[in-house]
Amino acid sequence: MHTADISFLSQLLDERKARQAFRELRLPGDKVDFCSNDYLGLTRHPAVRAYIHTLMEERHPAHGSTGSRLLAGNYEWIESVEKDLAAFHRAEAGLLYNSGYDANLGLFSCMGRKGDTIIYDQLIHASIRDGVRLSAAQSFSFQHNDLTDLEKKLKYATGHIFVAVESVYSMDGDLAPLAGIAALCSQYQAHLVVDEAHATGIIGEAGEGLVQQLQLEAQCFARVHTFGKAVGCHGAVVLGTTLLREYLINFSRSFIYTTALPPASLAAIEAGYATFPYMQAERRKLSELIEQFRAGISRAELLPGHTPIQAVLTRGNENTRQVAARLQQAGLDVRPILHPTVAKGAERLRVVLHSFNTPEEVERLVKVLEV
């Protein structure tokens, strides 16, 4: 039994509770899903489930990966999936990671050297912030989606310059002005990195993402597509040149020092990518539900944006908790997003719409929010 004094943990937790910022795990129960990132319902898709089982039986005799990619964990299927993902996303090469967090941490921590500069949107995901913190490069944020502020930071950047943005922001649900950002990166010879986590499967005719929809692939140093959202499984891929792939294999610690993805994950990735490009009807329905939701809100404060992520500002941790509790009591699974996850005063409900939600469910949601 551990005998050292660990009361300091209780003190830190008590301080968080006093700020109404205490986090807890909870189960969804049988409530209507307005919370998950399963935008297209692939986690519950029977054909996807069946295809995963078929792939496991046909492609790989073992269920484990047995080690890191650089030791015993590399196998033909994993390299085949990387090539297929690169081809789908019109990239030269790709490297699989165990999660979006691992991909961003591994990419950004090894990307900049001393004297280099990383500039990132102030609303960038925590995984990128953590990777930047581990990098030897100097780093600056720019005001969210503000091209003028980005250019101001670019003018003072030194060394190799990297600019990090998300195509769809996970807490606000808005799009990055990618064409303008790419133009600035070209002007200042900066390397553009785009996290497409919440665009994968959703943006574009085949769900290929915002970069490809705008035909900006050639202007990106790297793209990160994660599979834990609309693809309905787990893992991520970093897309770029063959040279970038070789560099990451040699310098990216979250790739080098971890066990490879197991075959079951590859089956889920392959099954997801075999399905979501053909879900145009689901994407159209999702767009209709987004417009229905936005048209129905008149009193609540909505952030702009027409993606499945709809942010309803509620301001203040306690008020946000209370509104979320009211929604939960009505059988609607909407979760509060509290400070410190978002800035103080920007607390909100993160309403996530899905192609499997019904107009009647959206109507119920709007009625509770408009009380």
Side-chain angles (χ1 to χ4, degrees):
M1 181 180 291
H2 190 83
T3 56
D5 180 20
I6 59 170
S7 60
F8 68 95
L9 298 179
S10 295
Q11 180 182 344
L12 294 170
L13 288 171
D14 289 342
E15 289 172 2
R16 176 151 285 191
K17 289 175 183 176
R19 299 194 305 270
Q20 289 90 42
F22 186 70
R23 296 183 175 104
E24 296 178 275
L25 294 175
R26 66 174 71 175
L27 297 172
D30 57 356
K31 298 179 179 66
V32 178
D33 182 3
F34 286 116
C35 171
S36 80
N37 293 324
D38 186 22
Y39 304 124
L40 299 174
L42 281 178
T43 63
R44 56 183 76 192
H45 200 294
V48 171
R49 184 178 302 177
Y51 191 36
I52 290 171
H53 288 296
T54 300
L55 287 169
M56 283 297 292
E57 290 175 2
E58 292 179 352
R59 298 285 181 89
H60 209 274
H63 67 82
S65 49
T66 74
S68 72
R69 291 281 298 278
L70 288 167
L71 296 176
N74 201 38
Y75 45 102
E76 288 183 9
W77 192 7
I78 201 166
E79 294 201 354
S80 172
V81 169
E82 286 173 334
K83 290 174 183 174
D84 289 344
L85 291 168
F88 177 83
H89 288 294
R90 297 208 293 262
E92 190 175 301
L95 187 68
L96 281 170
Y97 283 78
N98 290 10
S99 70
Y101 186 94
D102 286 335
N104 280 326
L105 191 77
L107 174 63
F108 283 90
S109 62
C110 73
M111 206 165 59
R113 301 290 175 172
K114 190 172 182 180
D116 294 340
T117 306
I118 301 174
I119 305 171
Y120 57 91
D121 189 288
Q122 67 181 174
L123 296 188
I124 206 76
H125 193 266
S127 58
I128 295 177
R129 285 180 176 269
D130 288 352
V132 169
R133 193 176 295 119
L134 292 171
S135 170
Q138 63 178 341
S139 61
F140 306 97
S141 67
F142 67 95
Q143 293 177 25
H144 178 54
N145 280 348
D146 188 327
L147 296 179
T148 301
D149 194 46
L150 171 57
E151 184 168 20
K152 188 183 351 179
K153 300 299 195 302
L154 283 166
K155 286 178 178 177
Y156 292 100
T158 60
H160 299 291
I161 307 166
F162 302 90
V163 173
V165 298
E166 297 177 47
S167 52
V168 177
Y169 283 87
S170 60
M171 288 298 153
D172 284 35
D174 57 346
L175 302 181
L178 272 187
I181 291 170
L184 282 175
C185 287
S186 178
Q187 179 182 343
Y188 288 90
Q189 298 185 311
H191 303 293
L192 177 59
V193 181
V194 183
D195 184 338
E196 293 258 47
H198 293 275
T200 311
I202 301 301
I203 305 290
E205 180 61 22
E208 63 272 22
L210 186 60
V211 169
Q212 282 170 261
Q213 186 187 55
L214 298 176
Q215 298 183 343
L216 296 172
E217 306 96 299
Q219 297 186 56
C220 292
F221 171 79
R223 287 175 280 157
V224 179
H225 284 270
T226 67
F227 313 135
K229 281 73 179 176
V231 185
C233 50
H234 200 64
V237 65
V238 175
L239 301 167
T241 62
T242 300
L243 186 62
L244 174 63
R245 184 178 187 272
E246 291 174 351
Y247 179 85
L248 293 174
I249 290 169
N250 281 275
F251 292 98
S252 179
R253 294 171 69 85
S254 65
F255 172 84
I256 297 167
Y257 297 108
T258 195
T259 301
L261 281 173
S265 293
L266 296 183
I269 294 165
E270 191 167 322
Y273 266 81
T275 307
F276 80 69
Y278 305 99
M279 301 182 79
Q280 286 87 354
E282 285 82 357
R283 280 187 282 275
R284 281 195 298 272
K285 183 189 174 188
L286 184 53
S287 294
E288 291 168 2
L289 293 177
I290 293 166
E291 295 312 311
Q292 177 192 347
F293 175 77
R294 294 194 65 84
I297 296 294
S298 60
R299 296 174 58 188
E301 187 178 358
L302 273 181
L303 289 180
H306 294 270
T307 70
I309 303 165
Q310 294 293 306
V312 183
L313 291 181
T314 41
R315 305 188 189 281
N317 280 359
E318 187 54 37
N319 180 57
T320 305
R321 284 184 187 278
Q322 290 175 6
V323 180
R326 193 166 74 236
L327 289 160
Q328 293 283 327
Q329 289 165 6
L332 306 169
D333 193 5
V334 177
R335 304 294 175 91
I337 306 298
L338 309 172
H339 175 73
T341 300
V342 292
K344 206 156 200 169
E347 298 84 1
R348 83 261 324 255
L349 301 171
R350 183 178 183 266
V351 174
V352 183
L353 300 167
H354 314 86
S355 62
F356 56 79
N357 289 135
T358 66
E360 293 75 22
E361 290 169 345
V362 173
E363 186 178 350
R364 281 173 56 197
L365 173 64
V366 168
K367 283 182 178 178
V368 177
L369 283 172
E370 288 288 280
V371 169

